[in-house]
Amino acid sequence: VTVLNVFFISFSPISGTSMEPNYHDDEAVVFAHFTVTYKRFDVVIVYVEQQSEPYLIKRIIGLPGETVLIDDNEIYIDGVLLEQSFIDQDEIKTYCVTGHNINYCSFMVPDNSYFVLGDNRDGNAIDTPSGYSIDSRTFGSVPIEDIYGKVILQFKDYNLLNQE
């Protein structure tokens, strides 16, 4: 079991609301460590050292070498509008969180890195609004070595798995 956990798959509870409405606080996920390539929209566990809780669950939006543009709640990848069927863009808005203009910002994704966002980008995906998702808009692109794994299974009730 330890070898599986260290090298292949791990189990983790979800803490926080940054991936609402698709992944909820107190749910859990199983994620694979052996993945070495990632695709757009993969949900991954990333390590961001400067965060108080450094392991975060996020969705890959930008791939290595791409330019991600946020323009008035729309995301463009290398100038092409990104379709995001996993969120309701009328309910959840994608804003820029740094700089002078919250409606317009651009990010160049370095080689061997990924641009990640939470699904609850403005904090309004839940009835009690929370803060916006802390993601690549705040801490920048994530180097591939700081991606801990890809989510492969979701459990709706973490407590079923966490019984003593």
Side-chain angles (χ1 to χ4, degrees), residues 64-96:
E66 293 182 333
T67 299
V68 178
L69 173 69
I70 298 172
D71 186 2
D72 196 27
N73 192 39
E74 299 287 357
I75 297 178
Y76 296 85
I77 304 294
D78 292 337
V80 177
L81 180 63
L82 185 65
E83 296 295 327
Q84 303 176 81
S85 60
F86 50 88
I87 62 170
D88 179 351
Q89 286 182 256
D90 291 330
E91 180 180 323
I92 301 168
K93 306 293 183 190
T94 305
Y95 297 119
C96 304

Side-chain angles (χ1 to χ4, degrees), residues 48-75:
V48 182
E49 184 175 356
Q50 65 264 36
Q51 295 301 307
S52 59
E53 293 185 24
Y55 291 97
L56 308 172
I57 182 171
K58 301 296 172 193
R59 187 178 302 277
I60 291 177
I61 299 297
L63 304 176
E66 293 182 333
T67 299
V68 178
L69 173 69
I70 298 172
D71 186 2
D72 196 27
N73 192 39
E74 299 287 357
I75 297 178

